[in-house]
Amino acid sequence: MQVGVVGKPSSGKSTFFAAATMIEVGIANYPFTTIEPNKGTGFVRVDCVDKEFDVQCNPRHGYCKNGTRHVPIELVDVAGLVPDAHLGKGKGNAFLDDLRQANVLIHVVDASGSTNEKGEPVGAGNHDPIKDIEFLEKEIDLWFLGIIEKNWSKLSRIPVTGKNALIELLAQTLSGIGGNEKNIEQALQQTSLLDKKLSDWSSDEKMTFATTLREISKPIVIAANKMDIASAEENLKRMKEKFQNKTIIPCSGFAELALKKAAKEGFIEYEAGSSKFEKLKDLNKKQEHLLKLVGENVLDKYRSTGVQDVLDKTVFEALGYIAIFPAGVKKLADSEGNVLPDCILMPKGSTALDFAFKLHTDMGKGFIRAINVKKNLMIGKDHELQHRDAIEIVFKKP
Ligand SMILES: Nc1nc2c(ncn2[C@@H]2O[C@H](COP(=O)(O)OP(=O)(O)O)[C@@H](O)[C@H]2O)c(=O)[nH]1
Ligand SMILES: [Mg+2]
């Protein structure tokens, strides 16, 4: 699964990315610092099932700390997008193309309003971040529309009979931006375009379809960033009021990065997502001052830096994924002795058979039955899995 980090220049994307992945990237207060997208691993938190089996797990990927499994996800830090990016402004086309593979987007917004829509510094509180939310989402929707338009004359000339042919044709054409048959069907249904011939679609209908498909295939979570700056508080309130249906999470990438760096160097004990840290060593004056500010302006006020919260909500709320642990009734370890080695992220509604295919094509093809290991209960291929299920697949080897 891939998560795209988007936003205008200097909103704090690279800082957020670095805080989430602990990978060093170019961070600077001028536009176009990031050109090639940075890719790295972040983590989402899942309450580990090991305690329910009275064992200690040892994950093959990610890690488990104090009963919380940190499951890896791929993050992509894309270069800053400016208004008219979809027309190529500021290399916008190339940057938007870096988002093709993303399943979901985190929009990092400078909630403090210290930078204008091009990312130039204007002094805290002098730019309205509501405008950034509006322009960026519009750019992404227009990018979708552009891809639809590009294929339109060809598409509308192909004779299609029936809904299924229409869905299949659109899915083939739009697969590059995450259009699959399920997404396309849902978008057509929501826009009441299922029964309309492509050649009869109006420009408004194309735009509505592009927006709807984007919302389904790349939902956006808003990271209201730079909450450590005082002007952000009032802006956060206004953004939440204005966009009541959007997921808006306060955060400070800067604070998270400072805490993680201090922890890495052994000065403090800090766990991602936590509301506090503990001093382990004497700090110098500068460090003392910085961490005091992080404590007062961020942790005490918002209960965490918000970065971990953004990642968790992106995957489990906006995308609606669930986490499944492969397990066995007789033993919980793999052949190398790793106990509960994996935790697999899958869309809500995934069945036991979907899970089998996800683990290995052979397991899907040779599927016989599955077992809910916590309950020691047999389940069939169509059984819908629940978050934190531990599942054994019984299959016939080819
Ligand atoms: N105060 C504050 N500054 C931040 C925060 N996140 C990023 N910045 C600063 O904003 C500027 C741009 O950050 P950067 O991550 O390079 O932005 P990008 O262009 O969106 O990748 C840098 O000076 C960062 O130190 C934050 O949470 N709080
Ligand atoms: Mg950057």
Coordinates of all heavy atoms in Angstrom, one line a residue, residues 77-122:
D77 N 6.9 11.1 -0.8 CA 6.9 12.6 -0.5 C 7.1 13.3 -1.9 O 8.2 13.2 -2.5 CB 8.1 12.9 0.4 CG 8.4 14.4 0.5 OD1 7.5 15.2 0.3 OD2 9.6 14.8 0.7
V78 N 6.0 13.8 -2.4 CA 6.0 14.4 -3.7 C 6.4 15.9 -3.7 O 6.2 16.5 -2.7 CB 4.6 14.2 -4.3 CG1 4.5 14.9 -5.7 CG2 4.3 12.7 -4.5
A79 N 7.0 16.4 -4.8 CA 7.3 17.8 -4.8 C 6.1 18.7 -4.7 O 5.0 18.3 -5.0 CB 8.1 18.1 -6.1
G80 N 6.3 19.9 -4.2 CA 5.2 20.8 -4.0 C 4.4 21.2 -5.2 O 4.9 21.3 -6.3
L81 N 3.0 21.2 -5.0 CA 2.1 21.6 -6.1 C 1.6 23.0 -5.9 O 1.3 23.4 -4.8 CB 0.9 20.6 -6.1 CG 1.3 19.1 -6.3 CD1 0.1 18.2 -6.0 CD2 1.8 18.9 -7.8
V82 N 1.6 23.7 -7.0 CA 1.2 25.1 -7.0 C -0.1 25.2 -7.8 O -0.5 24.3 -8.6 CB 2.2 26.1 -7.6 CG1 3.5 26.1 -6.7 CG2 2.6 25.7 -9.0
P83 N -0.9 26.3 -7.7 CA -2.1 26.4 -8.5 C -1.8 26.3 -10.0 O -0.7 26.8 -10.4 CB -2.6 27.9 -8.2 CG -2.1 28.1 -6.8 CD -0.8 27.4 -6.7
D84 N -2.6 25.6 -10.7 CA -2.4 25.3 -12.1 C -1.4 24.2 -12.4 O -0.8 24.1 -13.5 CB -2.2 26.5 -13.0 CG -3.4 27.3 -13.2 OD1 -4.5 26.7 -13.1 OD2 -3.4 28.5 -13.5
A85 N -1.1 23.5 -11.4 CA -0.1 22.4 -11.5 C -0.6 21.4 -12.6 O 0.3 20.9 -13.4 CB 0.0 21.6 -10.2
H86 N -1.9 21.2 -12.7 CA -2.4 20.2 -13.7 C -2.1 20.7 -15.1 O -2.2 19.9 -16.1 CB -3.9 19.9 -13.5 CG -4.8 21.0 -14.0 ND1 -4.9 22.2 -13.3 CD2 -5.5 21.1 -15.1 CE1 -5.8 23.0 -14.0 NE2 -6.1 22.4 -15.1
L87 N -1.8 22.0 -15.3 CA -1.5 22.6 -16.6 C 0.0 22.6 -16.8 O 0.5 23.1 -17.8 CB -2.1 24.0 -16.8 CG -3.6 24.1 -16.7 CD1 -4.0 25.6 -16.8 CD2 -4.2 23.3 -17.9
G88 N 0.7 22.0 -15.9 CA 2.2 22.0 -16.0 C 2.9 23.1 -15.3 O 4.1 23.1 -15.2
K89 N 2.2 23.9 -14.6 CA 2.8 25.0 -13.8 C 3.7 24.4 -12.7 O 3.3 23.5 -12.0 CB 1.7 25.9 -13.2 CG 2.2 27.1 -12.5 CD 2.1 28.3 -13.4 CE 2.6 29.6 -12.8 NZ 1.7 30.3 -11.9
G90 N 4.9 24.9 -12.6 CA 5.9 24.5 -11.6 C 6.2 23.0 -11.7 O 6.2 22.3 -10.7
K91 N 6.3 22.5 -12.9 CA 6.5 21.1 -13.2 C 5.4 20.2 -12.6 O 5.6 19.0 -12.4 CB 7.8 20.6 -12.6 CG 9.1 21.2 -13.2 CD 10.2 20.2 -13.2 CE 11.5 20.8 -13.7 NZ 12.4 21.2 -12.7
G92 N 4.2 20.8 -12.4 CA 3.1 20.1 -11.8 C 2.7 18.8 -12.4 O 2.4 17.8 -11.7
N93 N 2.8 18.7 -13.8 CA 2.4 17.4 -14.4 C 3.2 16.3 -14.0 O 2.8 15.2 -13.6 CB 2.5 17.6 -15.9 CG 1.3 18.3 -16.5 OD1 0.2 18.3 -15.9 ND2 1.5 19.0 -17.6
A94 N 4.5 16.5 -14.0 CA 5.5 15.5 -13.6 C 5.3 15.1 -12.2 O 5.3 13.9 -11.8 CB 6.9 16.0 -13.8
F95 N 5.0 16.1 -11.3 CA 4.9 15.8 -9.9 C 3.6 15.0 -9.6 O 3.5 14.1 -8.8 CB 4.9 17.1 -9.1 CG 6.2 17.9 -9.2 CD1 6.2 19.2 -8.8 CD2 7.3 17.3 -9.7 CE1 7.4 19.9 -8.9 CE2 8.5 18.0 -9.8 CZ 8.6 19.3 -9.4
L96 N 2.5 15.4 -10.3 CA 1.3 14.7 -10.2 C 1.4 13.2 -10.6 O 0.8 12.3 -10.0 CB 0.2 15.4 -11.0 CG -0.4 16.7 -10.3 CD1 -1.1 17.5 -11.4 CD2 -1.3 16.3 -9.2
D97 N 2.2 13.0 -11.6 CA 2.4 11.6 -12.1 C 3.0 10.7 -11.0 O 2.8 9.5 -11.0 CB 3.3 11.6 -13.4 CG 2.4 11.8 -14.6 OD1 1.2 11.6 -14.5 OD2 2.9 12.2 -15.7
D98 N 3.8 11.3 -10.1 CA 4.3 10.5 -9.0 C 3.3 10.0 -8.1 O 3.5 9.2 -7.2 CB 5.3 11.4 -8.2 CG 6.5 11.8 -9.0 OD1 6.9 11.0 -9.9 OD2 7.1 12.9 -8.7
L99 N 2.0 10.5 -8.2 CA 0.9 10.1 -7.3 C 0.1 8.9 -7.9 O -0.8 8.4 -7.3 CB 0.0 11.2 -7.1 CG 0.6 12.4 -6.3 CD1 -0.4 13.5 -6.3 CD2 1.0 12.0 -4.9
R100 N 0.5 8.5 -9.1 CA -0.4 7.5 -9.8 C -0.6 6.2 -8.9 O -1.7 5.7 -8.8 CB 0.3 7.0 -11.1 CG 0.0 8.0 -12.2 CD 0.7 7.6 -13.5 NE 0.5 8.6 -14.5 CZ -0.4 8.5 -15.4 NH1 -1.3 7.5 -15.4 NH2 -0.6 9.5 -16.3
Q101 N 0.5 5.8 -8.3 CA 0.4 4.5 -7.5 C -0.3 4.7 -6.1 O -0.6 3.7 -5.5 CB 1.8 3.9 -7.3 CG 2.5 3.5 -8.6 CD 1.7 2.6 -9.5 OE1 1.1 1.6 -9.0 NE2 1.6 2.9 -10.8
A102 N -0.4 5.9 -5.7 CA -0.9 6.1 -4.3 C -2.3 5.6 -4.1 O -3.2 5.9 -4.9 CB -0.7 7.6 -3.9
N103 N -2.6 4.9 -3.0 CA -3.9 4.5 -2.7 C -4.7 5.6 -1.9 O -5.9 5.6 -1.8 CB -3.9 3.3 -1.8 CG -3.2 2.1 -2.4 OD1 -2.0 2.0 -2.2 ND2 -3.9 1.3 -3.1
V104 N -4.0 6.5 -1.3 CA -4.6 7.5 -0.4 C -3.6 8.7 -0.3 O -2.4 8.4 -0.5 CB -4.9 6.9 0.9 CG1 -3.7 6.4 1.7 CG2 -5.7 7.8 1.8
L105 N -4.0 9.9 0.0 CA -3.1 11.0 0.0 C -3.2 11.7 1.4 O -4.3 11.8 1.9 CB -3.5 12.0 -1.1 CG -3.6 11.5 -2.5 CD1 -4.0 12.6 -3.5 CD2 -2.2 11.0 -3.0
I106 N -2.1 12.1 1.9 CA -2.1 13.0 3.1 C -1.7 14.4 2.5 O -0.7 14.6 1.9 CB -1.0 12.5 4.1 CG1 -1.3 11.2 4.6 CG2 -0.8 13.6 5.2 CD1 -0.2 10.5 5.5
H107 N -2.7 15.3 2.8 CA -2.4 16.7 2.3 C -1.8 17.5 3.5 O -2.6 17.7 4.5 CB -3.7 17.3 1.8 CG -3.6 18.7 1.4 ND1 -4.6 19.6 1.1 CD2 -2.4 19.5 1.2 CE1 -4.1 20.7 0.7 NE2 -2.8 20.7 0.8
V108 N -0.6 17.8 3.4 CA 0.1 18.6 4.5 C -0.2 20.0 4.2 O 0.2 20.6 3.2 CB 1.6 18.3 4.5 CG1 2.3 19.1 5.6 CG2 1.9 16.8 4.8
V109 N -0.9 20.7 5.1 CA -1.3 22.1 5.0 C -0.6 22.9 6.0 O -0.4 22.5 7.2 CB -2.9 22.2 5.3 CG1 -3.3 23.6 5.3 CG2 -3.6 21.4 4.2
D110 N -0.1 24.0 5.6 CA 0.6 24.9 6.6 C -0.6 25.7 7.3 O -1.1 26.7 6.9 CB 1.5 25.9 5.9 CG 2.1 27.0 6.8 OD1 1.7 27.0 8.0 OD2 2.9 27.7 6.4
A111 N -1.0 25.1 8.5 CA -2.2 25.6 9.2 C -1.8 26.9 9.9 O -2.7 27.7 10.2 CB -2.6 24.6 10.2
S112 N -0.5 27.2 10.0 CA -0.2 28.5 10.7 C -0.3 29.7 9.7 O -0.3 30.8 10.2 CB 1.3 28.4 11.1 OG 2.2 28.5 10.1
G113 N -0.5 29.4 8.4 CA -0.7 30.5 7.5 C 0.6 31.4 7.3 O 0.5 32.6 7.2
S114 N 1.8 30.7 7.4 CA 3.0 31.5 7.3 C 3.6 31.6 5.9 O 4.6 32.2 5.7 CB 4.1 30.9 8.2 OG 3.6 30.3 9.3
T115 N 2.9 30.8 5.0 CA 3.4 30.8 3.6 C 2.3 31.0 2.6 O 1.2 30.5 2.9 CB 4.1 29.4 3.3 OG1 3.3 28.4 3.8 CG2 5.5 29.3 4.0
N116 N 2.5 31.7 1.5 CA 1.4 31.9 0.5 C 1.3 30.6 -0.3 O 1.9 29.6 -0.1 CB 1.7 33.1 -0.3 CG 2.9 33.0 -1.2 OD1 3.4 31.9 -1.4 ND2 3.4 34.1 -1.7
E117 N 0.4 30.7 -1.4 CA 0.1 29.5 -2.1 C 1.2 29.0 -3.0 O 1.2 27.8 -3.4 CB -1.2 29.7 -3.0 CG -1.1 30.6 -4.2 CD -1.2 32.1 -3.7 OE1 -1.5 32.4 -2.5 OE2 -1.0 33.0 -4.6
K118 N 2.3 29.8 -3.1 CA 3.5 29.3 -3.8 C 4.5 28.8 -2.8 O 5.6 28.4 -3.2 CB 4.1 30.4 -4.7 CG 3.2 30.7 -5.9 CD 4.0 31.7 -6.8 CE 3.2 32.9 -7.1 NZ 3.9 34.2 -7.3
G119 N 4.2 28.9 -1.5 CA 5.2 28.5 -0.5 C 6.1 29.5 -0.1 O 7.1 29.2 0.7
E120 N 5.9 30.8 -0.5 CA 6.8 31.8 0.0 C 6.4 32.3 1.3 O 5.2 32.5 1.6 CB 6.8 33.0 -1.1 CG 7.3 32.6 -2.4 CD 6.7 33.5 -3.6 OE1 5.7 34.3 -3.3 OE2 7.1 33.3 -4.7
P121 N 7.4 32.7 2.2 CA 7.1 33.1 3.6 C 6.4 34.4 3.6 O 6.7 35.3 2.8 CB 8.5 33.2 4.2 CG 9.5 33.0 3.2 CD 8.9 32.6 1.9
V122 N 5.3 34.5 4.4 CA 4.5 35.8 4.4 C 4.3 36.2 5.9 O 3.7 37.2 6.1 CB 3.1 35.7 3.7 CG1 3.3 35.5 2.2 CG2 2.3 34.5 4.3

